[in-house]
Amino acid sequence: MGDIKKVVLAYSGGLDTSIIIPWLKENYDNCEVIAVSGDVGQGTELDGLEEKALRTGASKLYIEDLNQEFIEEYVFPTIKAGAVYESKYLLGTSFARPIIAKRIVEIALREGADAICHGCTGKGNDQVRFELAIKAFAPDMKIIAPWREWSIKSREEEIAYAEAHDIPLKITRETNYSKDKNIWHISHEGMDLENPANEPQYNKPGFLELGVSPEQAPDQPTYVTISFEKGVPVAIDGVQMDAVALVKKLNELGGANGIGIVDLVENRLVGMKSRGVYETPGGTILYHAHNKLEELTLDRDTYHYKQQVALRFAELVYFGQWFTPLRVALSAFVDSTQETVTGDVKLKLYKGNIIDAGVTSPYSLYDEDIATFDEDEVYNQKDSAGFINLFGLPIKVQAKKKLIKG
């Protein structure tokens, strides 16, 4: 290990990365450790991070503000694709990893680092997401993953290591949920959630962080109108907002109304099933609103084909394959479908529910004159007979063949 003189560490200040700094120095000949934190909306989790990193042995800490880039270049393209993993997961952790890893590589190359280190476990998806991004921008960079090297086998042992090395932690053995938070969502895993038979303690003080449970939401609904331009949300209730402000505002509205709480047993890339609770209040509203607008503005064949693309797009994001030719190509296709996805979507938020309350668009394909149940002069109902005869011809031929064969 003597050839490693300088390591750049993906640093969150959480349990894993807090103990990694002294571990690296102990096991890699007192190498220099440069910590990098990608700010994607962790909020107060970044408070005091520099002091902590330096105190535990890092030579410096970079805190990189990635919020706007994260929302505009990773989140919004995924919304436009309609990508949802296994029908529920809005990919909050998944698409935050590539942007962080990309910036870490940029800093590692600038610093002349010998290796990049991350704190992902060998059981999780994040190790794949980080390392695929690193390979995309620094294919020959050495990667150190302590969970694949050290003798520590549990979070309990991690806490013991931290206590032995006088490393301050914001968690205790009693509040040891594994959480990931950014501007888009927060995830909760571990402890009682590891048993799928246990109901999550939504009403327990401190469990939910981005909002309240549906039972605790107001008895009166909240109306909100979201405006889109070419598939991108640009305004709330007529007020133009930048991407970060817009997501934050919808998080407030959604959280207050118990929107976007998901309990999911998902299929991890590494092969196991895992159970987690996700809070994505603003994101849930945006996905719903965007789909509602596409109902109005996309033709049937494009709308249906996009649903197929969305499944594959979600897998690419979840699997950490953001920086791949297929993801880039699919995004190009998606962008071409969004040329007419412009308009306003009005929604009613009520106790965990999102209720459609109206949609308008200058590119609407809905024609009331054709769709009406009243008398019209633009649709000849007799035409449908010939259409059904042709559309049903294969069924008719097959039925006749069966009759001939008895």
Side-chain angles (χ1 to χ4, degrees):
M1 299 182 181
D3 57 333
I4 303 297
K5 303 297 183 184
K6 184 184 292 188
V7 178
V8 169
L9 168 66
Y11 185 71
S12 68
L15 177 58
D16 295 328
T17 58
S18 292
I19 68 172
I20 282 176
I21 293 176
W23 181 88
L24 281 170
K25 298 184 78 68
E26 289 174 0
N27 291 271
Y28 282 86
D29 299 327
N30 199 34
C31 64
E32 180 183 359
V33 179
I34 298 172
V36 179
S37 294
D39 179 3
V40 286
Q42 299 94 314
T44 57
E45 291 182 7
L46 299 174
D47 293 347
L49 216 56
E50 182 174 15
E51 179 184 356
K52 182 177 180 179
L54 298 180
R55 175 183 168 183
T56 51
S59 63
K60 67 176 75 171
L61 170 68
Y62 288 90
I63 297 181
E64 301 291 294
D65 184 355
L66 305 174
N67 283 273
Q68 186 167 340
E69 182 183 353
F70 173 48
I71 296 298
E72 292 181 347
E73 298 186 21
Y74 295 78
V75 175
F76 284 174
T78 306
I79 294 175
K80 288 192 290 185
V84 180
Y85 187 70
E86 297 191 336
S87 302
K88 286 186 176 182
Y89 177 39
L90 301 187
L91 300 164
T93 300
S94 307
F95 47 32
R97 296 309 186 228
I99 183 175
I100 294 173
K102 180 174 179 285
R103 183 59 57 89
I104 288 170
V105 170
E106 292 169 353
I107 292 173
L109 294 175
R110 188 166 71 235
E111 288 279 356
D114 304 303
I116 291 174
C117 179
H118 64 73
C120 308
T121 74
K123 287 185 176 181
N125 300 305
D126 279 346
Q127 59 181 333
V128 181
R129 296 164 184 155
F130 269 113
E131 294 187 28
L132 291 190
I134 293 169
K135 292 178 186 299
F137 296 100
D140 296 322
M141 180 70 69
K142 179 176 175 57
I143 298 172
I144 300 173
W147 272 102
R148 302 202 289 256
E149 296 184 24
W150 61 22
S151 59
I152 295 173
K153 294 182 173 61
S154 68
R155 292 178 67 81
E156 185 77 15
E157 291 184 11
E158 283 188 289
I159 293 174
Y161 183 98
E163 291 172 344
H165 289 74
D166 193 29
I167 299 172
L169 298 174
K170 294 182 179 180
I171 64 171
T172 67
R173 287 172 171 81
E174 290 72 34
T175 60
N176 194 19
Y177 284 110
S178 176
K179 298 189 178 187
D180 178 79
K181 180 181 180 181
N182 58 45
I183 191 175
W184 183 250
H185 91 148
I186 185 169
S187 63
H188 310 260
E189 294 178 315
M191 295 182 67
D192 56 304
L193 297 178
E194 289 189 345
N195 184 347
N198 292 332
E199 179 181 1
Q201 302 301 302
Y202 296 132
N203 293 321
K204 182 179 178 180
F207 181 79
L208 295 176
E209 296 190 23
L210 298 184
V212 299
S213 68
E215 296 95 327
Q216 296 173 322
D219 293 331
Q220 297 299 319
T222 298
Y223 284 89
V224 60
T225 298
I226 304 171
S227 301
F228 291 82
E229 292 181 4
K230 295 186 177 182
V232 176
V234 294
I236 297 175
D237 294 331
V239 179
Q240 295 282 322
M241 296 184 179
D242 65 50
V244 173
L246 186 143
V247 171
K248 286 182 176 180
K249 180 62 176 180
L250 289 179
N251 275 338
E252 293 174 6
L253 294 174
N257 287 278
I259 304 296
I261 303 169
V262 167
D263 181 358
L264 174 63
V265 176
E266 69 196 63
N267 289 293
R268 285 183 178 175
L269 174 59
V270 294
M272 70 184 70
K273 289 185 181 288
S274 65
R275 194 269 189 102
V277 169
Y278 298 102
E279 299 178 61
T280 321
T284 302
I285 295 170
L286 281 176
Y287 266 88
H288 187 107
H290 180 263
N291 181 68
K292 190 64 182 177
L293 188 56
E294 285 193 328
E295 287 180 8
L296 192 71
T297 59
L298 294 187
D299 66 278
R300 180 190 63 200
D301 288 348
T302 301
Y303 184 70
H304 288 181
Y305 193 76
K306 251 194 102 251
Q307 291 176 324
Q308 299 178 49
V309 170
L311 292 174
R312 188 68 183 101
F313 199 104
E315 287 183 336
L316 292 172
V317 176
Y318 188 84
F319 296 164
Q321 296 174 298
W322 186 269
F323 302 114
T324 60
L326 179 56
R327 201 283 306 167
V328 173
L330 291 184
S331 283
F333 163 75
V334 168
D335 285 344
S336 73
T337 70
Q338 300 298 290
E339 289 297 317
T340 60
V341 185
T342 295
D344 299 324
V345 182
K346 185 177 182 181
L347 302 171
K348 179 164 65 173
L349 312 179
Y350 183 67
K351 290 189 175 296
N353 296 291
I354 302 176
I355 303 165
D356 297 325
V359 55
T360 61
S361 171
Y363 300 100
S364 172
L365 297 179
Y366 182 87
D367 191 324
E368 190 173 352
D369 289 338
I370 294 177
T372 182
F373 283 97
D374 294 330
E375 182 178 353
D376 69 84
E377 298 179 356
V378 295
Y379 187 93
N380 187 345
Q381 298 197 30
K382 292 181 180 180
D383 290 343
S384 63
F387 164 74
I388 294 171
N389 286 335
L390 293 177
F391 189 66
L393 184 59
I395 297 174
K396 182 176 181 180
V397 171
Q398 185 180 43
K400 283 190 171 185
K401 293 295 185 181
K402 286 182 178 179
L403 288 173
I404 291 174
K405 293 181 180 179

